[in-house]
Amino acid sequence: MDFTAKEFPMADEDFNCLAAMAYDISGIVLGEHKKELVYSRISRRVRKLNLQNFSQYCQYLANNQDAETTGFLNAITTNLTSFFRESHHFEFLAKEIIPGWKKEKKGKPIRIWSSACSTGPEPYSIAITLDKNMPVKDYNLKILATDLDSDVLAKARLGEYPIADIEQLPRNYLSSFLRKNSSDVGQVKDSIRSMVQFNRLNLLGPWPMKNKFDVIFCRNVVIYFNKETQIELFDRLADSLVEGGYLFIGHSETLHGMTEKFISKGRTIYQKVGS
Ligand SMILES: C[S@@+](CC[C@H](N)C(=O)[O-])C[C@H]1O[C@@H](n2cnc3c(N)ncnc32)[C@H](O)[C@@H]1O
């Protein structure tokens, strides 16, 4: 496709400049096959900023990094998610992890991190699983949910979703954990929302959290990174887990050939082993 003949012309060097920026800041690799996607996502920024072409946008981004980086990153991230996506992770949490916590974790903190939480269904599915399977008020539970994209975090905090997106949940979940705000919008109930703390965090940047986690969800995000970045990230995730802690990754991701710090506990479920 000729991207120089489009509404906002995009030359190869413009695409290369945007791909380099995306990689440097977020680790996201935008290969040639992502040109169409970059064109459609960044056209919105070009239009919004009243620019004429991608070359002007590249220049604008370079000269206004503080102001435009967030808009740029929010535009290039892919945020697809859903409640109880890859449901075997939540079944494992309920059947294999929570029973042990119920016996051993009274009076001790339990920390869970949803590290690329998008618009929130993932951390809310974690909160719902905990609420359904243990007396959450008797335990010191902390769910941290982070993402690079500030737009999705705003949506996540609000916890509102089109009814069509939550209709696939079992009926008793809908009545227990969500309320209808209108005929087409549902909202996660306050009791569940208050279990989750949302913060902006770049997985490639510094992680300010002081304490280690019992479980980390890092799902459907490393697919956007190259192998080198993935190896580094999995290493840091291992260091952020307690001994015996669990890491859940996405359906098309693997730790195979990346790290020796985990053993497999089943499909895309890993447990940290001693060093
Ligand atoms: C496809 S969504 C996955 C959402 C959820 N984990 C799931 O599996 O349903 C990928 C998320 O990763 C986030 N992301 C991409 N690069 C990131 C980075 N460097 N640091 C933190 N989050 C990042 C995106 O903003 C997006 O919300």
Side-chain angles (χ1 to χ4, degrees):
M1 186 175 291
D2 182 4
F3 288 92
T4 57
K6 291 203 149 221
E7 180 189 1
F8 303 113
M10 179 175 80
D12 284 350
E13 68 225 45
D14 302 329
F15 174 76
N16 293 341
C17 143
L18 295 176
M21 284 287 274
Y23 177 69
D24 286 348
I25 307 170
S26 69
I28 295 172
V29 175
L30 297 170
E32 287 282 312
H33 63 292
K34 293 278 169 77
K35 263 190 177 165
E36 187 95 48
L37 176 139
V38 169
Y39 182 84
S40 80
R41 303 255 183 103
I42 301 297
S43 290
R44 287 179 230 147
R45 301 298 307 158
V46 176
R47 193 172 295 116
K48 188 152 192 226
L49 294 164
N50 280 321
L51 302 172
Q52 307 299 314
N53 52 47
F54 273 65
S55 167
Q56 284 185 2
Y57 180 75
C58 292
Q59 211 141 49
Y60 180 86
L61 181 58
N63 296 337
N64 301 274
Q65 287 210 18
D66 286 352
E68 182 52 19
T69 300
T70 302
F72 171 63
L73 291 175
N74 290 1
I76 57 156
T77 53
T78 296
N79 309 118
L80 184 76
T81 188
S82 57
F83 281 89
F84 294 95
R85 181 181 195 186
E86 292 162 48
S87 59
H88 63 286
H89 288 157
F90 301 95
E91 280 155 27
F92 190 90
L93 182 60
K95 295 201 179 109
E96 306 295 330
I97 302 180
I98 289 176
W101 286 350
K102 278 161 80 174
K103 284 193 212 127
E104 293 152 20
K105 287 281 201 178
K106 263 231 160 113
K108 296 180 197 154
I110 299 172
R111 296 190 178 84
I112 304 170
W113 180 21
S114 165
S115 66
C117 67
S118 187
T119 51
E122 180 177 283
Y124 289 137
S125 300
I126 298 169
I128 291 171
T129 303
L130 295 176
D131 195 81
K132 254 179 74 74
N133 291 284
M134 65 194 291
V136 290
K137 289 209 162 48
D138 298 345
Y139 289 81
N140 181 2
L141 289 161
K142 293 183 196 309
I143 305 171
L144 173 68
T146 62
D147 201 282
L148 174 67
D149 181 335
S150 56
D151 289 342
V152 293
L153 285 170
K155 287 187 188 153
R157 285 190 189 101
L158 190 62
E160 276 190 353
Y161 303 95
I163 289 290
D165 288 3
I166 50 181
E167 249 166 12
Q168 78 272 22
L169 290 173
R171 200 151 274 289
N172 61 329
Y173 277 43
L174 283 177
S175 56
S176 307
F177 303 113
L178 293 123
R179 60 164 174 262
K180 263 190 172 181
N181 279 0
S182 68
S183 61
D184 50 7
V185 176
Q187 187 173 32
V188 177
K189 284 189 178 168
D190 292 350
S191 58
I192 296 297
R193 275 167 61 211
S194 65
M195 290 173 70
V196 184
Q197 163 81 45
F198 289 99
N199 283 335
R200 183 164 185 266
L201 182 136
N202 183 350
L203 284 169
L204 259 65
W207 299 351
M209 302 82 85
K210 289 189 196 81
N211 296 302
K212 297 198 182 216
F213 294 93
D214 296 283
V215 172
I216 298 176
F217 283 68
C218 185
R219 308 188 312 162
N220 304 302
V221 59
V222 304
I223 31 162
Y224 302 107
F225 302 156
N226 64 19
K227 191 167 176 185
E228 212 182 353
T229 307
Q230 292 190 24
I231 289 172
E232 225 170 278
L233 178 60
F234 288 136
D235 216 53
R236 290 179 78 193
L237 290 172
D239 291 345
S240 299
L241 276 170
V242 297
E243 218 65 32
Y246 291 91
L247 173 66
F248 296 105
I249 62 173
H251 60 282
S252 57
E253 299 161 343
T254 181
L255 294 196
H256 186 72
M258 303 273 181
T259 168
E260 305 279 289
K261 294 189 173 177
F262 294 91
I263 50 164
S264 170
K265 298 300 279 184
R267 191 160 45 117
T268 58
I269 301 174
Y270 295 88
Q271 186 170 32
K272 179 179 167 179
V273 288
S275 40

